[in-house]
Amino acid sequence: EAQVTQNPRYLITVTGKKLTVTCSQNMNHEYMSWYRQDPGLGLRQIYYSMNVEVTDKGDVPEGYKVSRKEKRNFPLILESPSPNQTSLYFCASSLYPPGTSGRASTDTQYFGPGTRLTVL
Amino acid sequence: ELKVEQNPLFLSMQEGKNYTIYCNYSTTSDRLYWYRQDPGKSLESLFVLLSNGAVKQEGRLMASLDTKARLSTLHITAAVHDLSATYFCAVDSRGTGNQFYFGTGTSLTVIP
Protein backbone atom coordinates (compact mmCIF):
# COMPACT_ATOMS: atom_id res chain seq x y z
CA GLU A 1 0.00 0.00 0.00
CA ALA A 2 1.32 3.42 -0.99
CA GLN A 3 1.71 5.50 2.11
CA VAL A 4 3.58 8.07 4.15
CA THR A 5 4.33 6.99 7.69
CA GLN A 6 5.36 9.06 10.67
CA ASN A 7 6.63 8.10 14.08
CA PRO A 8 5.85 8.68 16.81
CA ARG A 9 2.21 9.69 16.46
CA TYR A 10 2.14 11.35 19.86
CA LEU A 11 5.02 12.74 21.88
CA ILE A 12 5.23 14.67 25.11
CA THR A 13 8.66 15.97 25.98
CA VAL A 14 10.40 18.66 27.99
CA THR A 15 12.17 21.81 26.91
CA GLY A 16 15.65 21.22 25.58
CA LYS A 17 15.50 17.46 25.10
CA LYS A 18 16.48 16.64 21.55
CA LEU A 19 13.97 14.65 19.54
CA THR A 20 13.49 13.26 16.07
CA VAL A 21 10.25 12.62 14.22
CA THR A 22 10.68 10.13 11.43
CA CYS A 23 8.95 10.22 8.07
CA SER A 24 9.09 7.53 5.42
CA GLN A 25 7.37 7.07 2.06
CA ASN A 26 7.26 3.99 -0.16
CA MET A 27 6.27 5.67 -3.44
CA ASN A 28 9.74 6.65 -4.68
CA HIS A 29 8.74 10.29 -4.44
CA GLU A 30 11.36 12.96 -5.03
CA TYR A 31 9.71 15.78 -3.09
CA MET A 32 9.17 15.58 0.65
CA SER A 33 8.08 18.25 3.06
CA TRP A 34 7.32 18.98 6.70
CA TYR A 35 4.45 21.17 7.89
CA ARG A 36 3.18 22.27 11.23
CA GLN A 37 -0.49 22.92 11.85
CA ASP A 38 -1.62 25.40 14.47
CA PRO A 39 -5.17 26.64 15.16
CA GLY A 40 -6.04 29.69 13.10
CA LEU A 41 -2.82 29.51 11.09
CA GLY A 42 -3.47 26.60 8.76
CA LEU A 43 -0.44 24.58 7.76
CA ARG A 44 2.96 26.19 7.44
CA GLN A 45 5.88 24.64 5.67
CA ILE A 46 8.98 24.03 7.78
CA TYR A 47 11.43 22.42 5.37
CA TYR A 48 11.24 20.63 2.08
CA SER A 49 13.51 18.41 0.03
CA MET A 50 13.70 18.14 -3.74
CA ASN A 51 15.71 14.92 -3.65
CA VAL A 52 18.47 13.12 -1.76
CA GLU A 53 20.87 15.57 -0.11
CA VAL A 54 18.81 18.56 -1.34
CA THR A 55 16.89 20.40 1.36
CA ASP A 56 15.65 23.94 1.72
CA LYS A 57 13.86 26.16 4.19
CA GLY A 58 10.15 26.69 4.14
CA ASP A 59 8.25 29.45 5.87
CA VAL A 60 9.04 28.58 9.50
CA PRO A 61 12.40 26.74 9.69
CA GLU A 62 13.72 28.24 12.94
CA GLY A 63 14.40 25.61 15.58
CA TYR A 64 14.22 22.67 13.17
CA LYS A 65 16.66 20.60 11.17
CA VAL A 66 16.12 17.98 8.50
CA SER A 67 18.18 15.55 6.49
CA ARG A 68 17.60 13.51 3.36
CA LYS A 69 20.20 10.78 3.17
CA GLU A 70 17.87 8.29 1.51
CA LYS A 71 15.07 8.97 -0.91
CA ARG A 72 12.41 7.38 1.26
CA ASN A 73 13.24 9.03 4.59
CA PHE A 74 13.00 12.64 5.70
CA PRO A 75 13.39 13.01 9.48
CA LEU A 76 12.57 16.20 11.34
CA ILE A 77 14.96 17.05 14.16
CA LEU A 78 14.33 19.41 17.05
CA GLU A 79 17.72 19.94 18.67
CA SER A 80 16.39 21.92 21.63
CA PRO A 81 12.59 21.92 21.64
CA SER A 82 10.73 24.81 23.18
CA PRO A 83 7.06 25.16 24.17
CA ASN A 84 6.29 27.25 21.07
CA GLN A 85 7.04 24.15 19.00
CA THR A 86 4.04 22.39 20.50
CA SER A 87 2.02 21.62 17.41
CA LEU A 88 0.64 19.00 15.04
CA TYR A 89 3.26 18.02 12.48
CA PHE A 90 2.65 16.51 9.07
CA CYS A 91 5.07 14.99 6.63
CA ALA A 92 4.09 14.90 2.95
CA SER A 93 5.53 13.67 -0.31
CA SER A 94 4.88 13.99 -4.04
CA LEU A 95 6.55 12.52 -7.08
CA TYR A 96 7.70 15.94 -8.23
CA PRO A 97 7.70 19.35 -6.54
CA PRO A 98 4.22 20.88 -6.66
CA GLY A 99 3.72 22.94 -9.78
CA THR A 100 6.59 21.53 -11.80
CA SER A 101 5.12 18.66 -13.76
CA GLY A 102 1.84 20.09 -14.99
CA ARG A 103 0.05 16.91 -14.00
CA ALA A 104 -2.22 16.55 -11.02
CA SER A 105 -1.15 12.98 -10.41
CA THR A 106 2.50 13.88 -9.98
CA ASP A 107 2.05 17.24 -8.25
CA THR A 108 -0.33 16.04 -5.55
CA GLN A 109 1.19 15.72 -2.10
CA TYR A 110 0.31 12.72 0.05
CA PHE A 111 0.26 13.33 3.76
CA GLY A 112 1.29 11.21 6.69
CA PRO A 113 -1.02 10.66 9.67
CA GLY A 114 0.51 13.44 11.74
CA THR A 115 2.54 13.69 14.94
CA ARG A 116 1.13 15.58 17.87
CA LEU A 117 4.01 17.08 19.82
CA THR A 118 3.75 18.70 23.23
CA VAL A 119 6.78 20.45 24.68
CA LEU A 120 6.49 21.22 28.40
CA GLU B 1 5.41 37.39 1.32
CA LEU B 2 2.98 35.03 -0.36
CA LYS B 3 -0.46 34.99 1.27
CA VAL B 4 -3.38 32.64 0.92
CA GLU B 5 -6.65 33.76 2.47
CA GLN B 6 -9.82 31.76 2.84
CA ASN B 7 -13.33 32.95 3.57
CA PRO B 8 -15.19 32.14 5.62
CA LEU B 9 -13.09 30.59 8.38
CA PHE B 10 -16.10 28.87 9.89
CA LEU B 11 -19.23 27.81 8.06
CA SER B 12 -22.31 26.20 9.51
CA MET B 13 -24.91 25.22 6.98
CA GLN B 14 -28.03 23.14 6.82
CA GLU B 15 -28.27 19.98 4.83
CA GLY B 16 -29.54 20.56 1.35
CA LYS B 17 -28.22 24.11 1.07
CA ASN B 18 -25.60 25.48 -1.27
CA TYR B 19 -22.59 27.53 -0.34
CA THR B 20 -19.22 28.71 -1.64
CA ILE B 21 -15.81 28.88 0.01
CA TYR B 22 -13.43 31.49 -1.37
CA CYS B 23 -9.67 31.33 -1.63
CA ASN B 24 -7.62 34.40 -2.55
CA TYR B 25 -3.88 34.25 -3.06
CA SER B 26 -1.16 36.80 -3.73
CA THR B 27 1.18 34.90 -6.05
CA THR B 28 1.03 34.70 -9.82
CA SER B 29 0.75 30.92 -9.67
CA ASP B 30 -1.59 29.33 -12.19
CA ARG B 31 -2.19 26.28 -10.07
CA LEU B 32 -4.24 25.77 -6.96
CA TYR B 33 -4.86 22.80 -4.71
CA TRP B 34 -7.77 21.90 -2.46
CA TYR B 35 -7.47 19.52 0.48
CA ARG B 36 -9.91 18.12 2.99
CA GLN B 37 -9.16 17.30 6.62
CA ASP B 38 -11.57 15.33 8.78
CA PRO B 39 -11.40 15.98 12.53
CA GLY B 40 -8.33 14.34 14.03
CA LYS B 41 -7.20 13.06 10.65
CA SER B 42 -4.64 13.85 8.01
CA LEU B 43 -5.13 15.80 4.79
CA GLU B 44 -6.59 14.31 1.66
CA SER B 45 -6.25 15.82 -1.80
CA LEU B 46 -9.54 16.90 -3.37
CA PHE B 47 -8.66 18.85 -6.48
CA VAL B 48 -5.66 20.13 -8.37
CA LEU B 49 -6.53 23.04 -10.66
CA LEU B 50 -3.80 23.44 -13.24
CA SER B 51 -4.78 26.45 -15.34
CA ASN B 52 -6.92 29.54 -15.58
CA GLY B 53 -10.56 28.63 -15.98
CA ALA B 54 -10.07 25.09 -14.72
CA VAL B 55 -13.15 23.53 -13.19
CA LYS B 56 -13.27 20.20 -11.44
CA GLN B 57 -16.19 18.41 -9.85
CA GLU B 58 -16.46 15.48 -7.51
CA GLY B 59 -19.87 14.64 -6.16
CA ARG B 60 -21.33 17.69 -4.43
CA LEU B 61 -18.08 19.67 -4.60
CA MET B 62 -16.98 21.81 -7.51
CA ALA B 63 -13.78 23.83 -7.61
CA SER B 64 -12.83 26.55 -10.06
CA LEU B 65 -9.82 28.77 -10.67
CA ASP B 66 -9.53 32.34 -11.96
CA THR B 67 -5.84 33.13 -12.11
CA LYS B 68 -6.40 36.71 -13.26
CA ALA B 69 -8.41 37.45 -10.14
CA ARG B 70 -6.15 35.15 -8.08
CA LEU B 71 -9.28 33.49 -6.79
CA SER B 72 -10.47 29.95 -6.42
CA THR B 73 -13.87 28.84 -5.24
CA LEU B 74 -15.09 25.59 -3.76
CA HIS B 75 -18.82 25.29 -4.28
CA ILE B 76 -20.91 22.93 -2.21
CA THR B 77 -24.19 21.78 -3.68
CA ALA B 78 -26.99 20.34 -1.54
CA ALA B 79 -24.74 19.79 1.47
CA VAL B 80 -24.86 16.54 3.41
CA HIS B 81 -23.48 15.76 6.85
CA ASP B 82 -20.58 13.74 5.39
CA LEU B 83 -19.11 16.94 3.98
CA SER B 84 -18.41 18.27 7.48
CA ALA B 85 -14.64 18.81 7.55
CA THR B 86 -12.00 21.50 7.26
CA TYR B 87 -11.14 22.53 3.73
CA PHE B 88 -7.80 24.04 2.79
CA CYS B 89 -6.66 25.68 -0.38
CA ALA B 90 -2.97 25.91 -1.22
CA VAL B 91 -0.62 27.26 -3.85
CA ASP B 92 2.94 26.55 -4.87
CA SER B 93 5.59 29.22 -5.22
CA ARG B 94 6.37 28.52 -8.84
CA GLY B 95 9.13 30.69 -10.13
CA THR B 96 10.37 31.72 -6.71
CA GLY B 97 11.28 28.35 -5.26
CA ASN B 98 9.51 25.14 -4.50
CA GLN B 99 7.59 26.08 -1.41
CA PHE B 100 3.97 25.34 -0.70
CA TYR B 101 1.53 27.65 1.04
CA PHE B 102 -1.77 26.77 2.68
CA GLY B 103 -4.71 28.95 3.52
CA THR B 104 -5.99 29.08 7.09
CA GLY B 105 -8.75 26.60 6.33
CA THR B 106 -12.54 26.70 6.39
CA SER B 107 -14.21 24.59 9.03
CA LEU B 108 -17.50 23.37 7.61
CA THR B 109 -20.26 21.93 9.74
CA VAL B 110 -23.35 20.58 8.01
CA ILE B 111 -26.37 20.47 10.30
CA PRO B 112 -29.17 17.97 9.71
Side-chain angles (χ1 to χ4, degrees):
Chain A
E1 179 190 355
Q3 59 182 349
V4 179
T5 58
Q6 293 179 228
N7 282 291
R9 296 287 313 280
Y10 302 90
L11 179 60
I12 300 175
T13 189
V14 295
T15 299
K17 186 176 182 182
K18 181 180 178 179
L19 66 92
T20 299
V21 184
T22 65
C23 172
S24 183
Q25 49 92 6
N26 62 0
M27 297 170 279
N28 202 36
H29 284 174
E30 292 186 356
Y31 186 87
M32 296 186 74
S33 185
W34 277 103
Y35 300 89
R36 60 177 289 173
Q37 182 177 17
D38 301 290
L41 296 177
L43 284 86
R44 294 177 292 168
Q45 194 175 42
I46 303 170
Y47 270 95
Y48 63 93
S49 169
M50 302 278 281
N51 214 322
V52 176
E53 302 292 0
V54 182
T55 63
D56 210 342
K57 296 177 181 179
D59 226 17
V60 288
E62 295 77 21
Y64 304 95
K65 285 176 57 177
V66 292
S67 69
R68 186 97 181 267
K69 292 184 171 57
E70 305 167 281
K71 199 169 188 178
R72 63 183 295 130
N73 296 323
F74 190 45
L76 179 69
I77 303 154
L78 284 72
E79 294 268 4
S80 183
S82 62
N84 64 12
Q85 293 178 299
T86 292
S87 187
L88 178 59
Y89 291 87
F90 287 102
C91 178
S93 73
S94 57
L95 183 57
Y96 300 126
T100 58
S101 75
R103 294 183 179 181
S105 59
T106 51
D107 279 7
T108 299
Q109 289 184 80
Y110 295 88
F111 282 76
T115 296
R116 186 165 293 281
L117 172 65
T118 302
V119 184
L120 302 174
Chain B
E1 179 186 338
L2 195 155
K3 291 187 178 179
V4 184
E5 297 179 337
Q6 286 182 237
N7 285 292
L9 297 183
F10 298 94
L11 176 56
S12 181
M13 55 190 298
Q14 285 187 312
E15 278 191 334
K17 299 291 187 183
N18 304 333
Y19 208 84
T20 300
I21 298 171
Y22 297 90
C23 174
N24 290 92
Y25 56 95
S26 62
T27 180
T28 56
S29 177
D30 56 3
R31 285 171 305 278
L32 190 124
Y33 309 76
W34 283 97
Y35 285 86
R36 168 181 172 147
Q37 184 180 36
D38 290 317
K41 301 290 186 182
S42 186
L43 281 82
E44 173 189 358
S45 176
L46 286 175
F47 302 111
V48 180
L49 303 168
L50 293 174
S51 61
N52 184 40
V55 176
K56 289 201 172 180
Q57 183 163 4
E58 179 82 29
R60 300 173 188 274
L61 299 177
M62 184 175 71
S64 64
L65 178 61
D66 181 344
T67 58
K68 293 178 182 177
R70 300 183 186 179
L71 170 69
S72 180
T73 60
L74 181 65
H75 187 72
I76 303 154
T77 301
V80 294
H81 181 68
D82 285 352
L83 291 180
S84 297
T86 299
Y87 294 86
F88 292 95
C89 63
V91 297
D92 59 71
S93 62
R94 179 191 187 193
T96 60
N98 291 283
Q99 293 177 249
F100 204 67
Y101 296 89
F102 280 88
T104 50
T106 295
S107 177
L108 170 65
T109 303
V110 181
I111 303 167

